[in-house]
Every structure is written in structure tokens, then in C-alpha cells.
Amino acid sequence: MTWTVYLSGEIHTDWREQIEAGAKAAGLDVAFTAPVTDHGASDDCGVAILGPEPDKFWHDHKGAKLNAIRTRTLINDADVVVVRFGDRYKQWNAAFDAGYAAALGTPLIVLHAPEHGHALKEVDAAALAVAETPEQVVAILRYVTEGVLG
């Protein structure tokens, strides 16, 4: 069985590529999906497709709704959701994705630095695993998909 893993969260580092490369090197039978990670495209998709908005609220609203089509569909189809909280920016969308996955009962792995543990304690409590590195996520995926340690 090929497992589908949705990679949600911050878009300013290469953590997705690290997990994908690690899974490939380990020979894991997993397929990865993700939101649109081009920040400009994600922000402007609504007005680019549906027309301009003079009010920034409606500009963002259009984009958020279009992005939600992709995000909800891919989270609904995922066997596991990994949500990464980075060191920069407030990642409200990542917290929302984690809550959405938890509400669906989709297994959730949260990835963040130890210093964010207190701020993310409720998100961590909903997760089935909390990792600090992409390598730990790959090890978790190897264990849950193949039953193999190390």
C-alpha cells in the first residue's frame, strides 16, 4: 500500500525536500502532497483567477477559499498529515491544518523546534507524534509504514 503524506506548514525552509529525500533514500512507499508553496501565487490566486478586489480583505478571502479547495481535498485524502511550525512568522494556517486533520481523525505528526513546545502545547497534544527534525519524521514514517526501526 502506498501511503499518502500531506506536508503542511512553513514555506521558508527545505524541510519538505529533506523528508521527501529521506523517504526516497529509505525506499518508503509513500507519496507526498502539499499546499501551494509559492507564496505569491498562494496569496494572489483568487484575484488572478476571479478578478481584482480593491479591499485587501476580499483579496485575501478569495485566495484563501481557492487554497482551501486544495488543502481540504489533500488533507481528506491523506493517510498521515505532517505539520511543520518554523521559527519565523506566525503560521496560523499550519495550526488550522493541524486542527482540521485532528478533527478528521487523520494521524498527525507535528514538527517544530523544542523552544516552541509551550506555544504549541495544544497542537502537540492532538498529535500522535511530535518531532524536532525531518530525519525523525522519516524514521516515524518508516516505522509506521514498514514496522522497521532504524
Side-chain angles (χ1 to χ4, degrees):
M1 163 185 153
T2 300
W3 289 59
T4 301
V5 178
Y6 184 77
L7 301 175
S8 172
E10 66 97 355
I11 62 172
H12 303 285
T13 63
D14 68 347
W15 69 275
R16 285 181 180 84
E17 292 79 8
Q18 291 179 46
I19 291 172
E20 291 172 4
K24 183 177 180 178
L28 302 184
D29 189 9
V30 294
F32 293 102
T33 60
V36 173
T37 58
D38 176 325
H39 200 182
S42 177
D43 283 352
D44 296 334
C45 64
V47 295
I49 296 169
L50 300 172
E53 288 292 340
D55 185 320
K56 182 67 171 149
F57 174 84
W58 294 111
H59 175 279
D60 290 344
H61 190 73
K62 279 184 177 180
K65 287 183 170 278
L66 293 187
N67 286 314
I69 295 169
R70 178 186 179 96
T71 301
R72 290 181 191 175
T73 300
L74 294 176
I75 290 175
N76 285 337
D77 292 344
D79 297 302
V80 176
V81 172
V82 177
V83 180
R84 160 84 174 143
F85 292 90
D87 296 329
R88 297 175 52 198
Y89 308 107
K90 305 273 191 282
Q91 290 129 42
W92 309 119
N93 59 325
F96 187 87
D97 289 355
Y100 187 68
L104 291 172
T106 303
L108 175 64
I109 300 168
V110 174
L111 173 61
H112 64 75
E115 59 266 21
H116 300 302
H118 178 73
L120 293 169
K121 64 186 176 293
E122 286 82 8
V123 175
D124 289 352
L128 296 180
V130 178
E132 296 177 4
T133 67
E135 294 79 17
Q136 288 176 329
V137 173
V138 172
I140 292 166
L141 293 175
R142 183 172 188 205
Y143 179 74
V144 300
T145 63
E146 297 182 350
V148 175
L149 287 172

